[in-house]
Amino acid sequence: MSDFPGLGDVAGKRVLVRSDLNVPLDGTTITDDGRIRASVPTIRALAEAGARVVVTAHLGRPKGAPEAKYSLAPVAGRLGELLGAPVAFATDTVGESATATVAGLADGEVALLENVRFNAGETSKDEGERLAFAQQLAALADAFVSDGFGVVHRKQASVYEIATLLPHTMGGLVAAEVDVLKRLTESPVRPYAVVLGGSKVSDKLGVIDNLLGKADTLLIGGGMVFTFLAAQGHEVGKSLLEADQLDTCRSYLARADELGVKIVLPTDVVVDTAFPSGDVTPSPTVVAADAIPADSLGLDIGPESGKAFAAVLAEAHTVFWNGPMGVFEVAAFAEGTRAVAQALTGVDGLSVVGGGDSAAAVRALGFADDDFGHISTGGGASLEYLEGKTLPGLQILED
């Protein structure tokens, strides 16, 4: 594949690829390489087409200066293993090492620049500072490929400004993500079910708001469910509660009623008297969702709810899931999340795991990526797209 739309023949060209390599690390050990694996096909296609591939990416949230714990050095090693070819590593973003490393590339070779967020220009609120940094990045390349879906909702130098300076196109990963999101928003095959979890209602307000008019059923679990239960007048004990969102939850329940959209809440929950931590042995109890003891907090949806959620998903032809059903990192509170994941593997149609904690959960629980129709690499970007927001990193590619 020597032709990339808008770039022509890339053989001999220096192509800057913005990938999403923001993987979890335990020291220098990568604990989940899903994002690296997802970035490989575009990098490999460019290398096989004879491009000199210069990869840029971020890791963690450094404050615009180098921090050893956020170095991409471990990622360069893993990327090389997956590509089956060495990846040259520049120890800076646009300085002497980057310039020399890129100059040393032959056709078909790959280099990775150090964490792009080690440069304050990447995430600066000042457009001029971002542009100045993007110009330094652009000096290292002849063309730009945007393939980091996890960052397309950010107006950052290596995502947005760079595309104003070089011939550009979207990579295969971003194109696939956009295709899936269009299928979820423009003409979903019905029945269409959306499963939302995670800790806070406030994180998902825009999504609920936008999808109430599009989905047939909303299934709600995770910490956010307790604000819905409290909005219905139920005792939630010490469970996570966003008191300032009670009216919002009531309005969603009323609106769903008017629109004929079902909002399904758990009928039972798994509770404990303390949040699980290293020195506390969990003692889970299953209680009715409308009878949570005052001294307890909900940590997962219960077994009956897991079955009820699975039954709804068995009928659906389109499913989007974002956010675990409970504290899945602890075995005693992982079964609700497992039940949803298991149900998604059997969906007759499109099943989408919406990035972030949901993607981490299905892998931690032993599911394979290809058990699902699509696992998104960008939780925040997926949610903003489903909220109907304009994503700057996509808009600039289309302009």
Side-chain angles (χ1 to χ4, degrees):
M1 176 171 148
S2 63
D3 194 62
F4 283 76
L7 303 188
D9 187 355
V10 296
K13 287 183 179 172
R14 299 168 305 160
V15 180
L16 184 74
V17 182
R18 177 48 158 112
S19 296
D20 179 4
L21 305 176
N22 186 23
V23 292
L25 289 175
D26 180 5
T28 57
T29 305
I30 296 163
T31 56
D32 177 2
D33 67 357
R35 284 179 169 157
I36 307 176
R37 283 185 282 117
S39 71
V40 164
T42 295
I43 295 169
R44 178 176 281 136
L46 286 162
E48 287 176 353
R52 300 174 182 199
V53 187
V54 183
V55 182
T56 185
H58 77 280
L59 195 153
R61 294 177 183 255
K63 303 281 186 276
E67 280 184 68
K69 66 178 178 180
Y70 293 129
S71 173
L72 281 171
V75 174
R78 183 63 183 134
L79 182 59
E81 288 171 10
L82 291 165
L83 287 168
V87 170
F89 182 61
T91 55
D92 57 22
T93 57
V94 289
E96 285 178 20
S97 178
T99 305
T101 303
V102 173
L105 288 176
D107 294 1
E109 290 184 342
V110 179
L112 174 63
L113 305 180
E114 183 55 285
N115 192 334
V116 73
R117 289 188 183 171
F118 284 179
N119 192 304
E122 168 68 358
T123 57
S124 174
K125 298 275 189 280
D126 183 298
E127 285 184 23
E129 284 175 25
R130 290 200 310 269
L131 183 61
F133 177 48
Q135 285 165 335
Q136 291 178 289
L137 283 170
L140 299 170
D142 306 303
F144 172 63
V145 174
S146 179
D147 206 40
F149 182 71
V151 287
V152 292
H153 57 317
R154 309 254 183 238
K155 210 174 203 183
Q156 294 178 347
S158 69
V159 178
Y160 183 84
E161 276 78 11
I162 189 74
T164 67
L165 302 171
L166 293 171
H168 55 265
T169 191
M170 62 174 65
L173 184 147
V174 168
E177 295 272 11
V178 171
D179 176 60
V180 164
L181 288 165
K182 283 185 172 164
R183 288 167 67 189
L184 289 174
T185 49
E186 290 176 8
S187 50
V189 180
R190 299 190 179 280
Y192 177 15
V194 174
V195 190
L196 296 175
S199 52
K200 295 178 177 173
V201 177
S202 51
D203 292 342
K204 308 271 160 73
L205 293 176
V207 180
I208 298 172
D209 213 42
N210 205 29
L211 291 181
L212 264 180
K214 296 188 170 79
D216 300 300
T217 310
L218 258 64
L219 303 152
I220 296 180
M224 64 189 284
V225 80
F226 302 106
T227 305
F228 275 92
L229 291 171
Q232 293 180 319
H234 302 310
E235 165 72 58
V236 295
K238 297 190 294 185
S239 306
L240 195 62
L241 174 65
E242 288 182 281
D244 58 338
Q245 301 297 343
L246 290 168
D247 285 343
T248 311
C249 289
R250 286 186 197 106
S251 74
Y252 287 151
L253 292 164
R255 214 170 106 211
D257 224 24
E258 284 165 27
L259 294 168
V261 174
K262 281 189 200 138
I263 290 186
V264 180
L265 301 174
T267 53
D268 60 345
V269 290
V270 183
V271 301
D272 203 336
T273 51
F275 193 86
S277 62
D279 52 353
V280 178
T281 305
S283 52
T285 314
V286 178
V287 299
D290 58 2
I292 297 172
D295 68 343
S296 300
L297 69 161
L299 296 165
D300 193 13
I301 63 171
E304 290 307 314
S305 303
K307 285 180 198 155
F309 281 26
V312 173
L313 299 177
E315 300 294 314
H317 292 309
T318 304
V319 178
F320 173 75
W321 170 30
N322 183 281
M325 298 292 99
V327 185
F328 72 90
E329 299 89 344
V330 178
F333 309 111
E335 289 310 305
T337 302
R338 188 189 305 281
V340 168
Q342 190 63 54
L344 252 73
T345 66
V347 170
D348 177 17
L350 176 65
S351 60
V352 180
V353 179
D357 287 345
S358 316
V362 296
R363 292 183 183 126
L365 293 173
F367 292 89
D369 288 17
D370 55 12
D371 286 340
F372 308 95
H374 180 75
I375 295 188
S376 178
T377 54
S382 298
L383 290 177
E384 290 200 13
Y385 192 103
L386 293 176
E387 284 173 33
K389 288 183 178 172
T390 299
L391 308 189
L394 293 182
Q395 184 189 25
I396 195 69
L397 299 176
E398 290 158 7
D399 284 354

